[in-house]
Each structure stands twice: as structure tokens, then as C-alpha cells.
């Protein structure tokens, strides 16, 4: 249902599953395992797997904390998008990568739910993409000391409101790892 012409394909997007991002994340191991399952399924289905990697003063480019977690291994043939803002589209080549692969629908996974996941989902819809959030394949750290709800509440709330998100000619939605269709 995307509003982008000639974009019939789907891509799996893996956002910021980096050592320094998910080290203290809620339900880390289960989320990483689900993302690995989805990566394997996407590769088998010949669906593009696109990796997004954040860098900033806390995630210095090339550092151990900046690296993707060891359980997830990117193939050299899979695009890697470097970003410095929450929205994976902002000041990156993500749009060009998606256009090259004729992608109009994104299946979104990764971290952090309350920053980069939400920003990218909204960025996708605004740009004309359909964007499906995998409800059990995203996570965040505990930011309650800053006044945020507990991580499980942040995740549940994001899943709840994204389930029915839509815009003219575009749709959001959630699914589980077991129910993802490529």
C-alpha cells in the first residue's frame, strides 16, 4: 500500500543493535535471538537485510561499544547505513539504498524503542513507506531515572500505538517474529 511508485519489495531493517546500545537493554537476549531468526528468514527469502549503525560521542565510530553485537553478523553484500540522528533516514543514504532495492515496505527491528525505533517508523511513514514493527524484536534500556516509564511499558505502548498507525496510502502495523511475512 506504499505511496512510492514501483516499490513492490520488502526489506528487513536492523537498527542499532550495537554493544553499547543493547548492553543493558530489556530482554536483550530474546530480542537479539528474534532478530537473528528474522535475518536468517529474510536471507533465505532473498529479502534485503539493511543494517543501521549509530555513532555519536557515546558510541565512537570504530569502538567496541559501536560494533554490532556478536550474535548478529552482517554479510558483506548487505547494506550498512551509518547515522548520527534518531531517524535512520535523516542525513543518511537509507533512502537511496531502499530505492536501489525497490523497497516500499519496511520490517523494523532493533533499539532503542523510545528513540531510534520510533523516529525511524515515523520517518518511514512520512516518506511514503509502509512500516511494520516486529513487536518482539525491539528493545530499550531502563530510563526510569529520567522519568520514563519502565522499558516493558515503553515497548508495550509503542507496540500498541503502532499497531493501528496509518496515513493516506500508507500503513504501520505490528507483528511478531513468528508471524512476519516477507
Amino acid at each position: 500500500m506504499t505511496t512510492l511508485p514501483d516499490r513492490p519489495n520488502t526489506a528487513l531493517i536492523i537498527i542499532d543493535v550495537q554493544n553499547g546500545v543493547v548492553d543493558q537493554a530489556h530482554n536483550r537476549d530474546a530480542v537479539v535471538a528474534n532478530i537473528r531468526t528474522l535475518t536468517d528468514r529474510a536471507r533465505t527469502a532473498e529479502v534485503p537485510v539493511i543494517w543501521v549503525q549509530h555513532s555519536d560521542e557515546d558510541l565512537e565510530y570504530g569502538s567496541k561499544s559501536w560494533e554490532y553485537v556478536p550474535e548478529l553478523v552482517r554479510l558483506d553484500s548487505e547494506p550498512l547505513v551509518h547515522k548520527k540522528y534518531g531517524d535512520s533516514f535523516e542525513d543518511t543514504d537509507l533512502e537511496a539504498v531502499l530505492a536501489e532495492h525497490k523497497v516500499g515496505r519496511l520490517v523494523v527491528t532493533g533499539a532503542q524503542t523510545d528513540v531510534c525505533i520510533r523516529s525511524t517508523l515515523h520517518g518511514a511513514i512520512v516518506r511514503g513507506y509502509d512500516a511494520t514493527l516486529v513487536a518482539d524484536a525491539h528493545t530499550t534500556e531502563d530510563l526510569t531515572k529520567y522519568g520514563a516509564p519502565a522499558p516493558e511499558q515503553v515497548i508495550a505502548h509503542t507496540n500498541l500505538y503502532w499497531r493501528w498507525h496509518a496515513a493516506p496510502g500508507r500503513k504501520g502495523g505490528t507483528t511478531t517474529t513468528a508471524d512476519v511475512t516477507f
Side-chain angles (χ1 to χ4, degrees), residues 9-13 47-50 98 103-108 182:
N9 297 330
T10 298
L12 175 65
I13 309 295
V47 167
V49 177
I50 300 170
L98 296 172
V103 171
R105 176 177 172 250
L106 309 180
V107 175
V108 178
F182 292 114

Side-chain angles (χ1 to χ4, degrees), residues 88-108:
S88 298
F89 288 93
E90 195 63 44
D91 198 27
T92 71
D93 63 347
L94 180 57
E95 171 55 31
V97 169
L98 296 172
E100 177 184 339
H101 292 281
K102 297 185 183 277
V103 171
R105 176 177 172 250
L106 309 180
V107 175
V108 178

Side-chain angles (χ1 to χ4, degrees), residues 4-97:
L4 301 170
D6 302 318
R7 298 279 195 96
N9 297 330
T10 298
L12 175 65
I13 309 295
I14 304 171
I15 301 171
D16 301 349
V17 188
Q18 298 161 253
N19 292 317
V21 176
V22 299
D23 182 47
Q24 300 297 315
H26 174 74
N27 209 16
R28 179 220 183 267
D29 293 343
V31 169
V32 170
N34 286 341
I35 294 170
R36 184 172 178 172
T37 295
L38 290 166
T39 303
D40 292 343
R41 286 180 40 210
R43 289 171 177 159
T44 299
E46 298 182 358
V47 167
V49 177
I50 300 170
W51 302 77
V52 178
Q53 192 168 25
H54 191 86
S55 63
D56 60 24
E57 60 192 35
D58 295 322
L59 285 171
E60 186 178 328
Y61 187 92
S63 69
K64 182 74 173 166
S65 64
W66 172 82
E67 293 174 0
Y68 254 78
V69 297
E71 299 95 322
L72 300 176
V73 178
R74 182 181 73 86
L75 301 179
D76 289 340
S77 60
E78 295 170 339
L80 175 60
V81 174
H82 294 281
K83 72 176 182 68
K84 294 183 182 255
Y85 300 98
D87 181 347
S88 298
F89 288 93
E90 195 63 44
D91 198 27
T92 71
D93 63 347
L94 180 57
E95 171 55 31
V97 169

Side-chain angles (χ1 to χ4, degrees), residues 133-146:
L133 176 62
V134 184
D136 57 356
H138 66 98
T139 188
T140 193
E141 66 183 316
D142 186 345
L143 298 172
T144 55
K145 66 182 176 185
Y146 301 106

